[in-house]
Structure formats: C-alpha cells, structure tokens
Amino acid sequence: MPRTVAPWEIERKLLVKAEDKTNPRYGHKPEERPAEDYIKYGVINLDKPAGPTSHEVAAWVKRILKLQRVGHGGTLEA
Amino acid sequence: MTGVLPITLEEARKIVQALLLSGKEYVCLMKLHGEATEEQVKRVLKEFENTIYQRPPLRASVKRRLRTRKIYYIDFLEMEGRNMLFRVGCEAGTYIRKLCFDIGEVLGCGAHMQELRRTRAGPFVENGDIVTLHDVTYWFMEWQQQKDDKILRKFIQPMEKALALVPKIYVRDSAVDAICHGANLTAPGVLSLETGISTGSMVAVFTLKGEAVALAKAVASTEEILNMEHGVVAETERVLMPRGTYPKCWKSGET
C-alpha cells in the first residue's frame, strides 16, 4: 500500500485566470508592514523548552512582548 | 518535550485553526522494555506507516473514542541497546506516546516514549527561523532600543508564513474589501490560483501583494474555478484583514 503524501510534500503550481495590477496605495507586502502591524499580524516559530506547558510558554511570550493576546498552534506536552 | 511551537500574536491568532489542523513531524526517543533486534524494530515501524487507529489517552482534551490518524512516514534513525530513535510525520492529533506504546505491543516486549522533539508544525520547521525564549527577549529589547525594524524580522514572521501549505487564490484589489466584510469570493475577482483545490477544502484568499485576506472553503475545484465566469468560488470563513485596508468597490460597481 503506497504511503500518504505529507501536506509539506505536495507541490503546487500557480495557474493564471486573469491579469491585473495591485495599487501600491493600499495595503503592504507582509514583510513591509509598519512595525506595530508587523507584530500584530505576526507568528513566532518558537523552540519550546522542556518543562513548562505550551500554555505557559505562550503566556511568557505575551508578557515579554507586552501583548494582549497570543495563541499557540498545537499543544506540545510539558 | 521540546521543539516547534508556533506562537500567534494578537490578530494572527485567527490563523491558529489552520495550524492546529496541519500535520506534524517529530523525532522520538523510545525505550524498549525488552530485547529486540534492529530488523524486528524496522519491520514493526513500517507496519505503522499509513492509517492507524488510536484511542485518545485518559488525560486528553477530546472525546475518548477510537479514531484514525494518518502516519505519512515513520523512519528508523538509530538504536543503542533498548533506546531507539525514530522520525515520524503524522496527521494533526496523533498521540506519539500512544504510538510508542502500540509499537511496543506489536514488538512484544513493550515500550514507552522517553523523549520527544517536534521538528515540524505545518510550514514551521526546526531549522531556519526557529527562536528560543531567550532570543525573543533579547531581540525585542534590541528592537525597543534601536527601533530598527530589521530586528523584528529576526524573530517574528508574518502570519502569511503560517498559511504556506494552504492552497491560495489571488484576487483583484477590487474584490478585497467585500471579502473583509464577510462576502464570499466570486469568480470575476479571481486572478490566479494554486493547483490541488477541491470542493470543500480550505483555501487562503490572498492579495497580489501577498497579504492574507481570509480563510475560505472552496465550493469548486481548481480546474472548475479556472473556467467559471460568475458565481461563488469560495465561502469566506475567517476574515484576517481589517475592513477598509483596500477601497470599497462593491455596490458602486467595479473600479
């Protein structure tokens, strides 16, 4: 039985349906967002240390960066 | 247990759903409770590749009923006495502690999980942009002092990075604000799209600048959307961009 392809092994191609330009007056490329927005719409690829729970680690990041809300993508046990 | 734990900041928490559903990869140290040869271990590991059945452990946050999970790959790395190291790529919600126990049962000698390191969560991997809590503290202080935004990019990624594995649909500027107000994406707004979209699958709606607008559920496949001239192509589920970022072009017609 052939194994299932992992999501990160799938190669996708971009197919064009119509051509258009984007107006530079609106929005920003993600990496060019003003600092405040860059943080607000940001994700940290964190190396979780052993010991604390995923929840505790997220709370620490919240405190370090003085933010209102943070979340984490998938609990990794303590 | 250590390794990749993506932390979403403020507004980026809206993409957590996409991360929670994405596959994971781990390197696991398993301790055997008896003797087994390398050949036996390798053979048993291969039996766990593909679909497995798991009942969530006693202490679990989900209902404890038998469910299936996909193991994309499980590779033997090394073995020393009763210590065995393997790498596993699996679907979200696979319990590795349970997997180790079950491998031990099939081997006959019993086994348990000793150490676990997550090496991937969706698009986030351990080599590359991964940072420690110390890095976060240090770079954030540096940024506050120097006010150089290059420093921010050393430890924070745009939320779009988290959507790297989700198939994308790129839309016209004129379609953006309606979607930000909760409207569904219709065919005329579509400029380009990625292969592999099927009816019901999650898609990410992006601008030409590469900004995420919303997470949506496709109501047609890539091929069908390419040939559609009107009608809804994706139902908006989670809006990511604030209203008013792009001009309002609806009701008043196309720009």
Side-chain angles (χ1 to χ4, degrees), chain B:
Chain B
M1 312 301 127
T2 67
V4 179
L5 180 69
I7 305 282
T8 55
L9 314 179
E10 307 282 11
E11 294 298 312
R13 72 185 183 281
K14 292 172 185 165
I15 56 91
V16 139
Q17 170 199 11
L19 279 176
L20 289 176
L21 295 173
S22 59
K24 312 286 191 297
E25 187 194 77
Y26 300 91
V27 169
C28 177
L29 176 64
M30 187 172 106
K31 187 104 175 171
L32 304 178
H33 299 161
E35 301 308 318
T37 66
E38 208 172 291
E39 281 61 45
Q40 285 172 319
V41 170
K42 282 180 178 168
R43 200 182 59 232
V44 169
L45 281 185
K46 284 298 142 191
E47 287 182 33
F48 284 83
E49 209 159 72
N50 246 303
T51 305
I52 59 160
Y53 289 87
Q54 275 195 338
R55 189 180 299 277
L58 274 172
R59 287 181 58 185
S61 51
V62 293
K63 193 170 158 74
R64 295 192 62 231
R65 60 163 170 238
L66 198 63
R67 56 188 202 179
T68 62
R69 281 297 176 266
K70 283 199 182 82
I71 303 293
Y72 305 124
Y73 49 84
I74 180 163
D75 299 320
F76 175 91
L77 294 177
E78 58 182 287
M79 194 170 161
E80 199 183 81
R82 292 184 178 186
N83 292 319
M84 199 269 283
L85 203 63
F86 67 90
R87 183 189 303 277
V88 58
C90 56
E91 201 180 346
T94 309
Y95 291 95
I96 306 300
R97 196 175 283 283
K98 203 84 181 171
L99 179 69
C100 288
F101 178 87
D102 292 341
I103 291 170
E105 292 296 293
V106 175
L107 271 171
C109 61
H112 71 268
M113 184 179 92
Q114 187 77 32
E115 289 277 349
L116 186 71
R117 181 165 173 81
R118 190 192 277 159
T119 52
R120 176 191 281 276
F124 295 101
V125 292
E126 73 169 336
N127 35 25
D129 47 31
I130 197 164
V131 291
T132 62
L133 278 170
H134 292 102
D135 294 331
V136 172
T137 312
Y138 175 77
W139 290 122
F140 186 64
M141 268 172 46
E142 284 285 296
W143 173 70
Q144 282 185 311
Q145 281 162 11
Q146 300 183 26
K147 286 291 164 199
D148 179 355
D149 294 347
K150 274 206 286 285
I151 298 169
L152 279 184
R153 290 191 273 274
K154 284 182 188 285
F155 69 104
I156 301 176
Q157 318 298 317
M159 66 172 172
E160 283 77 4
K161 164 75 198 267
L163 303 175
L165 303 179
V166 182
K168 290 169 199 67
I169 302 183
Y170 292 88
V171 301
R172 292 180 201 276
D173 284 3
S174 56
V176 174
D177 201 51
I179 296 168
C180 292
H181 280 77
N184 293 329
L185 173 63
T186 53
V190 179
L191 288 173
S192 57
L193 69 165
E194 289 186 328
T195 50
I197 297 170
S198 51
T199 305
S201 64
M202 190 203 282
V203 294
V205 178
F206 269 54
T207 66
L208 280 183
K209 294 187 189 76
E211 307 148 285
V213 180
L215 291 175
K217 193 169 89 179
V219 295
S221 67
T222 299
E223 294 69 29
E224 287 164 345
I225 295 172
L226 264 183
N227 295 311
M228 282 169 74
E229 278 170 26
H230 50 80
V232 174
V233 302
E235 291 169 355
T236 301
E237 295 209 318
R238 198 80 164 105
V239 175
L240 305 170
M241 182 184 275
R243 295 172 180 185
T245 307
Y246 278 75
K248 175 178 169 176
C249 298
W250 33 297
K251 277 180 186 165
S252 50
E254 293 283 311
T255 43

